[in-house]
Amino acid sequence: MDILIVGAGNMARGIATRLLAGGHPVHIAAPDVQQAQALAADLDGDATGHLLSGPGDAGIVILAVPYPINVTLATEWGEDLADRIVVDIANPVDFSSMDALVTAPGRSSAEEVADAAPSARVVKAFNTTFAKTLAAVEPLDVFIAGDDASARQTIARLAHDGGMRGIDVGHLKHARELEGFQLLHMMVQDQIGGGFATRLTLDRG
Amino acid sequence: MDILIVGAGNMARGIATRLLAGGHPVHIAAPDVQQAQALAADLDGDATGHLLSGPGDAGIVILAVPYPINVTLATEWGEDLADRIVVDIANPVDFSSMDALVTAPGRSSAEEVADAAPSARVVKAFNTTFAKTLAAVEPLDVFIAGDDASARQTIARLAHDGGMRGIDVGHLKHARELEGFQLLHMMVQDQIGGGFATRLTLDRG
């Protein structure tokens, strides 16, 4: 399946690095085609940069853009995303306070994406992994939620190929807990000296 | 400050083990005094078992009981808990489905305890640490939420003394994210071969 990463920022770089490390070619698309091409050229492996237009032939579309741009894109593309795996990585954090989510209680960014593109197979993943930890190609836990079990398995396999452990947390509604905890993970970076380069892991002692 | 642990189950054992390891005496109280005394006798250090009656002289009351018994107790004790640090460790998980919390969206067990005993200094802590990981006296992260900063610091110091890292996540409302994520942590134990003995940690790579 062709993989399209939407966005050419740090998260796009981190996720692309892992996919390429696992031997998977990636297409990177951004509104600024030069930025997309520059990122593709900077990566090791089969990466190409494109002007953002639509999902093209991609079976997997990774929305490596901030909330609510992910929801806007899903709304615009709508039925063009039918049957594709759409990966939402966003954290809908209130960056002015860094103390709350901007989504309503009992809702999540991923569910809003799914509502905007109801024929897509929406998966939440990579929201608890910082860009630096992805780019470092060290072991990481990737928590995966989605209502389509085979879509979750596909993303778990990509994570595995890239040196990560996919942890399947079930239905898409559990994106709420993933997005909630990542708020705390971001909040405490100064306190724990993390520099947005820490890993959230579930380990045996 | 005297420390009272309410409950004599596995979590009471785990938390008491850590407090005693840090050199802090503990009182353990349960409806079955023999169970409380048996646990106290089984621990290394200055532990005593008591019949559960009230908070006594304890400046710190750790509710090592399941939800909603914690809320019932806070309601019954009410003003007797005034100015005391009350630690809520509960996870309000729907154990029939193991797929949801029983609390309403935008609410938490800890906030219900605080509403039931509004003069208490309620702190959420130890809800993401499994009993086995506590009893093993290995390094652990303990996430601490509460509206009283000095109460959070007191619990962080106790955690530190017991070989753990206290991570201050701010206001009590953040118990929502702590309780939410622990649902996922419990859900995936089979999948990751955890046996309810894994650690949730924020580490540098």
Side-chain angles (χ1 to χ4, degrees), chain A residues 99-101 105-106 128 138 143 165-171 173-174 176-178 180-181 183-185 187-189 191-195 197-205, chain B residues 99-101 105-106 128 138 143 165-171 173-174 176-178 180-181 183-185 187-189 191-195 197-205:
Chain A
D99 193 48
L101 299 176
T128 66
E138 290 165 352
F143 295 90
R165 176 172 66 164
I167 298 183
D168 184 339
V169 299
H171 286 290
K173 69 175 182 176
H174 293 303
R176 300 169 199 168
E177 290 90 25
L178 295 178
F181 197 82
L183 167 66
L184 304 188
H185 193 187
M187 281 170 56
V188 302
Q189 288 297 299
Q191 180 186 158
I192 67 177
T198 61
R199 308 183 305 184
L200 166 66
T201 53
L202 304 182
D203 285 325
R204 289 194 149 277
Chain B
D99 192 47
L101 299 177
T128 65
E138 290 166 354
F143 296 89
R165 177 172 66 165
I167 297 183
D168 184 339
V169 299
H171 287 289
K173 69 175 182 177
H174 293 304
R176 300 170 198 168
E177 290 90 26
L178 295 178
F181 196 81
L183 166 66
L184 304 188
H185 194 187
M187 280 169 56
V188 301
Q189 288 297 300
Q191 180 185 158
I192 67 177
T198 60
R199 308 184 305 182
L200 167 65
T201 53
L202 303 182
D203 284 325
R204 289 194 149 277

Side-chain angles (χ1 to χ4, degrees), chain B residues 87-178:
Chain B
V87 180
D88 177 48
I89 73 162
N91 284 298
V93 169
D94 179 348
F95 288 102
S96 63
S97 73
M98 276 302 279
D99 192 47
L101 299 177
V102 295
T103 39
R107 284 285 286 171
S108 62
S109 164
E111 289 167 293
E112 292 187 15
V113 168
D115 285 351
S119 307
R121 303 158 72 200
V122 176
V123 169
K124 186 86 199 182
F126 298 110
N127 79 295
T128 65
T129 53
F130 288 120
K132 290 176 191 170
T133 60
L134 286 166
V137 198
E138 290 166 354
L140 274 181
D141 281 351
V142 175
F143 296 89
I144 302 167
D147 290 335
D148 183 317
S150 93
R152 296 199 306 267
Q153 286 161 12
T154 297
I155 300 306
R157 195 165 55 245
L158 291 178
H160 175 81
D161 292 346
M164 299 171 281
R165 177 172 66 165
I167 297 183
D168 184 339
V169 299
H171 287 289
L172 193 65
K173 69 175 182 177
H174 293 304
R176 300 170 198 168
E177 290 90 26
L178 295 178

